[in-house]
Amino acid sequence: MSRRMTFPDALWAARESLRLEQRELGALIGVATRTIARWEHGDALPRGNVRSAIVAAIASRDAARAKDVAVALDVPVPTPQPPPDQAPKVEALDAAVYLAADALGVPAAAARPVLARFLLHLAASRISLDEARAKLKP
């Protein structure tokens, strides 16, 4: 029987296996690099929706590592989703970042983590982009 990994160990192992820097993982889930470091050192634990966002970010790249992190955080293990037939292209995502940044009057670098977090929340709540668009219409 294998022993259950602690959250700091599971997070570090997942990040290392995905070859992500702490700042890159932080940008994916919308938290500071220092926050990732504190989690990995066991100085703090994530709270609320951030726990699901961490698991969703890792699951999008490695389901097995996401399961380890989900178990360590005591959150539901994500079910693998088949890739959509019409996945957005990287260029389209970059365009969305620049449009959002322009509309908000902020640099694109500031808008990117917010948009990434928004998309992770959509994925975690299983809301499609069409459903989100319909709910956001004035």
Side-chain angles (χ1 to χ4, degrees):
M1 179 159 105
S2 66
R3 76 174 183 85
R4 180 178 167 167
M5 292 179 82
T6 64
F7 171 67
D9 292 340
L11 182 64
W12 180 85
R15 187 178 59 75
E16 287 294 312
S17 74
L18 297 172
R19 294 188 171 135
L20 289 173
E21 298 288 330
Q22 287 178 337
R23 68 175 170 73
E24 293 171 313
L25 180 58
L28 282 174
I29 58 177
V31 300
T33 302
R34 178 71 185 130
T35 301
I36 301 293
R38 291 181 67 221
W39 291 341
E40 288 184 357
H41 287 102
D43 296 335
L45 288 172
R47 293 184 261 168
N49 292 342
V50 174
R51 295 164 16 131
S52 295
I54 294 166
V55 174
I58 295 168
S60 70
R61 297 170 184 224
D62 186 334
R65 290 294 182 183
K67 181 178 179 184
D68 292 341
V69 175
V71 168
L73 281 173
D74 197 27
V75 298
V77 178
T79 34
Q81 298 293 317
D85 292 338
Q86 297 177 336
K89 302 277 186 212
V90 172
E91 299 84 25
L93 291 174
D94 284 340
V97 168
Y98 288 111
L99 284 170
D102 187 49
L104 296 170
V106 297
R112 185 174 298 281
V114 175
L115 189 57
R117 197 168 177 188
F118 167 75
L119 292 171
L120 284 172
H121 283 289
L122 281 180
S125 62
R126 303 199 191 282
I127 295 175
S128 72
L129 287 175
D130 289 335
E131 289 173 306
R133 185 181 302 118
K135 289 181 186 223
L136 292 173
K137 276 189 177 177

